[in-house]
Amino acid sequence: MADLRLGPLLRHVDWDTGGSATVWVETSRPCTAEVRCADGAHGRVCTFAIAGHHYAVVPVTGLTPGTTTAYEVLLDGVRVWPLPDSPFPASTISTPAVAGPGRPSPGLRITFGSCRQAAPPADSHGPHGPDALDTLAARLAADPQAERPDLLLLLGDQVYADALSRETLRWLQARRDLDDPPGKQVADYEEYTRLYYESWLDPEIRWLLSTVPSLQIFDDHDVIDDWNTSAAWVAEMRATSWWREHVLSGLMSYWVYQHLGNLSPAELAADKLYAAVRDSPDGTETLRAFACEADADPASVRWSYRRDFGRTRLLMVDTRAARVLAEDRRAMLDPAEQQWLRDNALAGHGGYDHLLVGSSLPWLLPPLVHDAEAWNAALCRGERGPRWARIGENLRRRSDLEHWAAFPASFAALSDLIEEVGTGPRAPATVAVLSGDVHHAYVAEPRIPTTARVFQLTCSPVHNSIHLAVRLGFRLGWSRAGRRLGRMFAKHGRTGRPPLTWRRSGGPWFGNQLMTLALSGRSARLRLEQARRTRRGAKGARLVTVLDRNLTEFP
């Protein structure tokens, strides 16, 4: 009999007709996976196989718009979800009401964040504190009628392939010698699956992901720290004996565990790779060939995607695999990816009220950090000669100087696009870049003459920590003294001034946290909540609101 190994994860919910959704599962053996809803909606599909694991993305059809229905999962006709004696409410699928004459587009609540370690790494000096996503799950489970997100947006570092927990290290030691490369980080597909089990089998997280739709994109730790930070870094990795298997397994596992769920049922039906994997008794080699091509030629695959939620448009942008790393033409996005972003931002301009750009890496940083990254990029491309170029490459890796500011042409292109989209009578009410990565939260606003309100909304981590020195550095980065120091970097690197200026209008906040963006009509409201210990004991936690702000109200 087949068992449910992981999931279910409720992934895509249709906002065009409200009639369909997808549910992702991993099973213990080949079988037929089925989803049955209390209102009669259903879906059924056979599993596919990758590296001895079995998966299904079940398309659920026949849902009624504007309703919430409980569902169960069956494998070969046997119910496996909900789990026996589960303490959690029923998993449900909620569909939006469809807009029409006299019926405005429904509101949308998006909760987002990044950087979640399921457990502290073995070399950590202490716990990370309460998990914000776990705490959200506990709150929703305790009160099924409470306001819940329509969507979870997970902006990178869903798993940490290079910072393993004590439990995972013990599991690895039973498989191989950790003194051999790659040592204390995952080596192959099987070891990547362990990371997803550790993260998504947490009971609260498992229930939350079964009942709130999620969209995801990778960042570096989903594969390795500093992934694709520079051409020199890539060359060094490719020269090792272990890198090829590591990166191919990382791309394969990301495609299975995260990427497939980002696709709509129509996109899945049209996806040639997905069809080839499903049609094969074992899709491992087919998927591996795809990963080989994606690693050798990043322009051959697109991980970015677009979702429209009524009159809100979300563009999730790959800021890791789509890079151009040659120092003389360095870019965050290759030309095709940059054109994709531009085309989708401008398509139907005037037909949406809010444009959201999901970027794991922030567009607007503390000014000192921005100037330091632009300075470093100038050094690395030889602005101050070979000696400074070597120093710059070392600093880039040690200090993670690889955000949009480290790709000056890409920073300028994104800034110009946002100004173009946000200007004129057809401009949306808001344009917001949603990011994580930097282990603190803040709100920044550019000083550009747009009709729309424009924001950088950064929220990180969900469950992680930050060294005191880094925390102090970010505080300095926002200060007047930091701005003056940044201008000194710019002068030395001959970078000139950035193409725009910006101000911090909220934060910085440090801790395990989540932001929620509530959109209704042309209004937008932002809430930031932090997970904090309760007085009832060390295990108790609650979400505390530290910011509640109307973003469409001009100061």
Side-chain angles (χ1 to χ4, degrees), residues 223-235:
V223 176
I224 192 172
D225 189 24
D226 296 337
W227 181 31
N228 285 344
T229 193
S230 68
W233 181 93
V234 171

Side-chain angles (χ1 to χ4, degrees), residues 383-401:
E383 188 67 33
R384 283 289 185 176
R387 176 175 172 271
W388 275 105
R390 291 190 296 271
I391 293 172
E393 176 65 23
N394 183 273
L395 284 173
R396 176 153 61 191
R397 300 188 199 183
R398 288 179 178 272
S399 304
D400 293 336
L401 304 180

Side-chain angles (χ1 to χ4, degrees), residues 10 16 32 89 106 143 203 333 342 354 358 391 437 488 518 539:
L10 176 61
D16 291 329
T32 298
D143 183 5
L333 308 178
R342 178 175 176 78
H354 305 278
I391 293 172
D437 180 68
M488 294 172 63
K539 292 187 177 180

Side-chain angles (χ1 to χ4, degrees), residues 23 34-43 60-64 67-74 79 81-82 90-95:
V23 175
E34 183 178 0
V35 173
R36 292 181 185 172
C37 299
D39 67 354
H42 67 281
V60 181
T61 58
L63 294 163
T64 303
T67 64
T68 296
T69 182
Y71 74 89
E72 59 184 14
V73 177
L74 299 90
R79 194 179 84 162
W81 185 270
S91 297
T92 58
I93 302 175
S94 296
T95 55

Side-chain angles (χ1 to χ4, degrees), residues 263-506:
L263 304 181
S264 69
E267 288 168 328
L268 286 170
D271 191 293
K272 293 181 180 179
L273 173 62
Y274 181 57
V277 167
R278 289 186 61 203
D279 289 345
S280 173
D282 184 347
T284 307
E285 291 308 312
T286 300
L287 184 55
R288 186 177 180 85
F290 163 82
C292 287
E293 185 177 7
D295 179 51
D297 180 15
S300 67
V301 60
R302 174 162 294 125
W303 302 108
S304 301
Y305 55 93
R306 164 182 157 181
R307 288 287 167 267
D308 289 337
F309 303 92
R311 291 184 61 85
T312 296
R313 176 165 298 172
L314 169 66
L315 301 178
M316 287 286 275
V317 183
D318 164 21
T319 58
R320 278 290 164 188
R323 295 178 175 184
V324 176
L325 297 176
E327 293 294 346
D328 60 342
R329 50 190 179 89
R330 189 170 161 84
M332 182 70 84
L333 308 178
D334 65 48
E337 197 79 6
Q338 183 65 46
Q339 190 63 47
W340 176 90
L341 176 60
R342 178 175 176 78
D343 290 346
N344 281 276
L346 294 174
H349 191 219
Y352 53 83
D353 295 324
H354 305 278
L355 175 65
L356 310 178
V357 179
S359 167
S360 62
L361 305 177
W363 164 51
L364 302 179
L365 289 164
L368 169 58
V369 179
H370 177 100
D371 287 336
E373 294 203 3
W375 164 77
N376 178 263
L379 297 186
C380 290
R381 67 174 177 265
E383 188 67 33
R384 283 289 185 176
R387 176 175 172 271
W388 275 105
R390 291 190 296 271
I391 293 172
E393 176 65 23
N394 183 273
L395 284 173
R396 176 153 61 191
R397 300 188 199 183
R398 288 179 178 272
S399 304
D400 293 336
L401 304 180
E402 53 168 348
H403 301 83
W404 286 90
F407 300 81
S410 299
F411 177 86
L414 179 59
S415 301
D416 289 346
L417 177 60
I418 287 172
E419 183 172 355
E420 182 178 355
V421 169
T423 302
R426 298 177 65 81
T430 66
V431 179
V433 178
L434 313 183
S435 305
D437 180 68
V438 291
H439 289 211
H440 71 296
Y442 60 89
V443 179
E445 299 180 55
R447 295 184 176 95
I448 49 178
T450 55
T451 308
R453 299 296 306 277
V454 178
F455 299 93
Q456 169 69 65
L457 305 178
T458 304
C459 185
S460 170
V462 171
H463 189 226
N464 210 309
S465 57
I466 185 170
H467 295 296
L468 176 61
V470 178
R471 183 183 302 208
L472 294 175
F474 279 126
R475 290 194 182 278
L476 173 64
W478 287 112
S479 69
R480 290 183 179 179
R483 289 178 184 271
R484 289 194 293 269
L485 180 58
R487 299 321 307 153
M488 294 172 63
F489 280 122
K491 183 177 180 180
H492 180 261
R494 302 168 182 157
T495 62
R497 292 188 175 274
L500 76 164
T501 60
W502 57 96
R503 66 183 182 91
R504 171 177 52 88
S505 60

